[in-house]
Amino acid sequence: MAQRTGKATSGKVPNARRRLRLGLGIMLTLLLVVGGKLFLVQGLDVGGMAEAALDKRMRATVLPAERGSILDSGGTVLANSVIRYNVVVDQTVNTKTEKFKRLVEGQDKLEDVTRDQAIKELAAVLGMDIDELRNAVTGDSKYHIIAKDLKPDMEDVVSKLQVPGIVTEGVSKRVYPNGSVAGGIIGFLQDGSTGQAGIEQTQDEILRGTDGKRLFEIGADGLRIPVGVDELTPPQDGKDVKLTLNSDLQYFAQQAIQSQSDKLGAEWGVIIVMDAKTGDLIAMADTNSPDPNDPGRVAAKDRGVRSVTAAYEPGSVEKMITAAALIEEGKSSPLDTFTLPPSYTVDGQTFSDSFAHGTEERTLAGILGWSMNTGTVMAGQRLTKDQRHDWLQKFGIGEAPDIGLPATASGILTPADQWDGRQEYTVLFGQGVSQSTLQTVRAFQAVANNGVMLQPRLIDAYVAPDGTEEKVEPKPSRQVVSDNTAQQVQDILESAVTEGQIKDAAIDGYRVGAKTGTSESPCDDGKSGFCGYTASIVGMAPMDDPRFIVEVVLQRPKGSIYGITQGPVFRSVMSQALRSYNVQPSTGEPARLPQYAK
């Protein structure tokens, strides 16, 4: 019996051991699988689960870049931006939180803060009543603004309070301190952020900069994790755009043209002042100039810059180009004489002058000094059709000046082989061709600058946030006529003031040269006929060494066109420019070319 018992016990032990080993093996296998899985998830994170979880916990606040300023040539601010912040609350988070932990500033430890304490601290920063603030953060709205227009230093204090559910959002506010001064040139913003017109539009990418952001981590309860991720990417502010404009002279010119336009009931008027030595645009004045702070107060048609957008028949100011072409081609000289009848007919086309006269012996200088169409056509016949076209083109007609403004007009210069029987002659005195005021000024600048045409400049430099200035290189110049031809044309223009019919453009102490222009203005509805005149004057001073070009243009002034003169306005603005830049009075004797044959 004992032997049977002994055999039975010895048979059961190996089986029990095998079961134990099997169980341990299964447990170890399971532990290995679980451990491996944990290693993959937490260690290697092959599936990116940890990263995905972190992404879900991240919140970002945009830190807007400060938009660059627009400055005049002397650094006067014409447009600038200020960064302000709104304080926003997610009431659903704030309402649920009675206590939270906050990282003590400057210390590596946490502190407990109650909801009431946080509200008191926030109220003190914002200057709000505690009960008012408590009501503002209580509710079920996920987005509610509780304060606006905080300065950056206050925004920093609010952010450091780390109040649950409270964030700040940056807002850029654009300010135009000088109102309507150069308003059309500066432009304005759409929705407070994107350039809509003028320099604001064309230089938007340079002005806007790059926004930054503040990135922080929140927990499942929606509260900010005090020791979690807190990253700051500072914004990169935009560059300033420095213009060639003189804001004081711009204001003066705007007042002058607005007064003249109002006085004569004109539809619009413009004045340009250009530095003949550099091509810099010192002033470009428009009537009804918009205030970029509230551009909607003026009609949409008045929000641009008509100096570059409006193309029209220039009229007799174009006779300067005809004279320059004749002299440069060796076809005439200022004192060449022409026998002019009361009216002149060529190829079946008859031309007359704005004043009645008998048959007269006039010099080329006298033809321009008294703006005679008959003499201009007679002299201009010495140029072939192709030469007439090519000289207009050489003086920049048909070529839009690129000065960094939108909607710049090229004007219309029809190919010579498409001119009709009358147009081939009218282009000699500025009809049958259209151009902007700036194109006319550019042509006169070439004559004032010894025959060298400079491309107009409006943008002088870009200024980085650190003050580094990057000058905008002038575009290539070109020699249009010789120095000798330019001087002869200058003498013709000066004689138009001293001996011709533009005596009201004279300025005491300074030698002045000028040319007037009048042309028919077609109706806006496109129907045949015309609905008024375009009246202009363009000139230069001092003629000893011309420094400035000034042009004044009025569109469709009321009354008799022969009783309208722009001379006094030209004189006023040119005088102001000469004074502003301390240009010394003339010392030489003025040109007095005979207007009649001896």
Side-chain angles (χ1 to χ4, degrees):
M1 185 138 187
Q3 290 178 350
R4 288 195 297 269
T5 304
K7 288 179 180 179
T9 301
S10 62
K12 292 179 179 178
V13 171
N15 291 333
R17 289 175 178 171
R18 282 196 296 270
R19 287 195 295 271
L20 179 61
R21 291 192 189 102
L22 180 61
L24 288 173
I26 292 172
M27 291 179 62
L28 289 172
T29 301
L30 291 173
L31 287 172
L32 183 62
V33 171
V34 172
K37 184 67 173 178
L38 288 173
F39 175 72
L40 287 173
V41 172
Q42 298 184 353
L44 299 180
D45 191 22
V46 175
M49 297 178 63
E51 184 178 348
L54 179 61
D55 287 342
K56 290 182 179 179
R57 298 195 300 273
M58 300 308 295
R59 294 292 183 272
T61 299
V62 175
L63 302 177
E66 183 173 324
R67 190 175 180 87
S69 298
I70 300 175
L71 313 170
D72 83 344
S73 58
T76 298
V77 175
L78 303 175
N80 70 327
S81 292
V82 292
I83 301 298
R84 295 294 182 261
Y85 292 85
N86 295 335
V87 180
V88 179
V89 61
D90 180 348
Q91 295 173 338
T92 63
V93 172
N94 196 281
T95 303
K96 296 185 297 184
T97 306
E98 292 300 330
K99 183 183 291 187
F100 65 96
K101 291 186 179 296
R102 178 171 64 193
L103 187 66
V104 179
E105 185 176 1
Q107 301 181 37
D108 190 20
K109 67 177 184 179
L110 301 175
E111 64 177 349
D112 289 327
V113 181
T114 65
R115 180 173 184 265
D116 283 345
Q117 179 185 345
I119 289 176
K120 290 178 182 178
E121 293 175 343
L122 185 58
V125 172
L126 299 178
M128 293 179 64
D129 178 78
I130 295 175
D131 290 334
E132 180 186 356
L133 180 59
R134 184 178 286 108
N135 291 333
V137 300
T138 303
D140 55 8
S141 173
K142 296 185 72 66
Y143 181 91
H144 179 69
I145 297 176
I146 59 177
K148 293 182 177 181
D149 292 339
L150 268 68
K151 294 181 179 179
D153 55 344
M154 287 187 65
E155 183 278 335
D156 189 55
V157 174
V158 171
S159 294
K160 288 178 178 177
L161 292 178
Q162 303 175 37
V163 181
I166 297 289
V167 295
T168 58
E169 58 180 16
V171 179
S172 178
K173 297 183 66 175
R174 199 64 165 165
V175 179
Y176 303 91
N178 291 281
S180 63
V181 176
I185 297 169
I186 297 167
F188 50 90
L189 301 184
Q190 181 182 33
D191 302 326
S193 61
T194 304
Q196 179 71 11
I199 292 296
E200 293 278 31
Q201 176 182 331
T202 63
Q203 307 301 305
D204 186 64
E205 187 174 341
I206 290 171
L207 289 164
R208 68 166 51 246
T210 304
D211 291 341
K213 67 178 178 179
R214 171 174 279 149
L215 195 65
F216 54 90
E217 191 175 356
I218 63 170
D221 55 2
L223 303 184
R224 184 170 176 176
I225 300 175
V227 293
V229 174
D230 189 355
E231 298 177 354
L232 176 66
T233 303
Q236 297 179 10
D237 293 339
K239 294 181 180 179
D240 296 342
V241 177
K242 185 178 179 183
L243 305 180
T244 60
L245 295 180
N246 179 319
S247 56
D248 290 337
L249 190 58
Q250 176 74 25
Y251 173 79
F252 186 92
Q254 284 185 207
Q255 295 295 107
I257 193 61
Q258 190 68 58
S259 176
Q260 181 76 339
S261 179
D262 292 345
K263 174 183 175 182
L264 298 176
E267 292 187 8
W268 55 261
V270 299
I271 293 177
I272 291 181
V273 182
M274 176 189 280
D275 188 325
K277 301 301 183 185
T278 63
D280 288 354
L281 292 162
I282 310 302
M284 286 199 300
D286 273 278
T287 50
N288 302 319
S289 179
D291 181 347
N293 294 296
D294 188 10
R297 293 184 63 181
V298 302
K301 64 181 181 179
D302 292 325
R303 296 176 199 160
V305 183
R306 286 195 175 95
S307 295
V308 298
T309 63
Y312 52 88
E313 290 189 342
S316 293
V317 295
E318 211 85 322
K319 291 172 182 174
M320 181 279 291
I321 296 178
T322 300
L326 286 166
I327 295 170
E328 186 74 6
E329 293 284 355
K331 304 293 186 180
S332 184
S333 69
L335 298 183
D336 270 1
T337 60
F338 299 84
T339 301
L340 305 181
S343 64
Y344 180 62
T345 301
V346 57
D347 294 337
Q349 303 294 326
T350 299
F351 302 92
S352 58
D353 296 313
S354 61
F355 60 95
H357 63 82
T359 299
E360 297 181 347
E361 295 289 326
R362 292 273 188 164
T363 62
L364 181 63
I367 289 170
L368 266 72
W370 292 84
S371 200
M372 302 177 75
N373 294 342
T374 54
T376 302
V377 172
M378 185 179 292
Q381 281 182 266
R382 299 179 180 183
L383 299 169
T384 67
K385 286 175 59 176
D386 285 339
Q387 285 176 323
R388 298 169 208 173
H389 175 277
D390 291 348
W391 276 106
L392 287 168
Q393 194 171 56
K394 287 176 183 178
F395 272 96
I397 311 307
E399 174 193 338
D402 180 9
I403 60 170
L405 287 177
T408 302
S410 298
I412 300 175
L413 177 58
T414 307
D417 59 8
Q418 296 179 24
W419 287 344
D420 61 32
R422 188 168 184 80
Q423 187 179 13
E424 65 173 291
Y425 297 108
T426 61
V427 295
L428 294 166
F429 53 84
Q431 294 182 20
V433 60
S434 73
Q435 61 206 54
S436 69
T437 305
L438 184 54
Q439 287 173 300
T440 302
V441 169
R442 179 175 60 182
F444 274 73
Q445 176 276 327
V447 167
N449 192 40
N450 302 320
V452 179
M453 178 181 288
L454 305 174
Q455 292 304 311
R457 297 177 72 246
L458 176 61
I459 300 175
D460 180 56
Y462 298 113
V463 185
D466 64 1
T468 303
E469 190 169 298
E470 176 189 345
K471 279 284 187 181
V472 176
E473 291 298 321
K475 293 181 173 62
S477 60
R478 65 175 182 257
Q479 188 84 37
V480 180
V481 293
S482 68
D483 184 359
N484 182 51
T485 294
Q487 184 58 59
Q488 292 184 68
V489 176
Q490 287 181 29
D491 289 346
I492 290 175
L493 295 174
E494 185 173 11
S495 298
V497 176
T498 58
E499 305 295 313
Q501 63 177 177
I502 320 178
K503 292 182 174 61
D504 58 0
I507 300 173
D508 289 342
Y510 293 93
R511 293 169 54 190
V512 177
K515 184 71 193 77
T516 55
T518 304
S519 63
E520 297 176 349
S521 176
C523 300
D524 293 334
D525 59 12
K527 296 179 180 179
S528 60
F530 65 97
C531 293
Y533 294 90
T534 305
S536 62
I537 181 173
V538 56
M540 58 191 72
M543 298 308 290
D544 318 62
D545 185 17
R547 174 68 188 278
F548 294 114
I549 309 293
V550 172
E551 181 165 19
V552 181
V553 180
L554 276 188
Q555 176 73 334
R556 298 173 185 164
K558 302 293 191 298
S560 171
I561 192 64
Y562 302 113
I564 292 175
T565 175
Q566 312 298 341
V569 181
F570 167 87
R571 183 175 65 241
S572 174
V573 175
M574 178 64 86
S575 297
Q576 185 68 17
L578 294 169
R579 286 193 298 268
S580 297
Y581 289 84
N582 297 314
V583 178
Q584 295 301 305
S586 299
T587 56
E589 286 297 316
R592 296 183 179 278
L593 298 180
Q595 307 290 287
Y596 297 87
K598 293 182 179 179

